[in-house]
Amino acid sequence: MHPTLVTALARIAAHEGCDRTTLPPLYDSIDPEALAALLESNADVTVRFEYEDYRVVIGPDEVTVTDADR
């Protein structure tokens, strides 16, 4: 798994008070392999998606996780 995705999931797990490995599968929200390929392409892109009750934003220099209700 791409390190940026690991970071995003770790932040969600910390907020939930659980281990990252106990979170629901990421592929229920987004194709993690396609996302990893995009992140590894060195393209200057920002990706936004919702996972569980969180909004995740991954950009060239950022990983942001916020409540989806905000």
Side-chain angles (χ1 to χ4, degrees):
M1 183 176 292
H2 193 276
T4 306
L5 291 175
V6 172
T7 298
L9 293 175
R11 289 180 183 176
I12 292 169
H15 190 272
E16 292 292 314
C18 66
D19 186 79
R20 178 179 62 87
T21 60
T22 63
L23 293 171
L26 184 60
Y27 59 76
D28 287 345
S29 299
I30 193 166
D31 181 339
E33 291 179 14
L35 181 54
L38 181 63
L39 294 172
E40 292 169 0
S41 73
N42 294 323
D44 187 19
V45 297
T46 298
V47 178
R48 294 173 177 83
F49 62 94
E50 289 192 14
Y51 170 72
E52 293 301 297
D53 293 327
Y54 296 92
R55 182 171 294 116
V56 179
V57 179
I58 299 174
D61 297 320
E62 71 174 317
V63 177
T64 306
V65 175
T66 57
D67 291 331
D69 294 336
R70 291 207 229 164

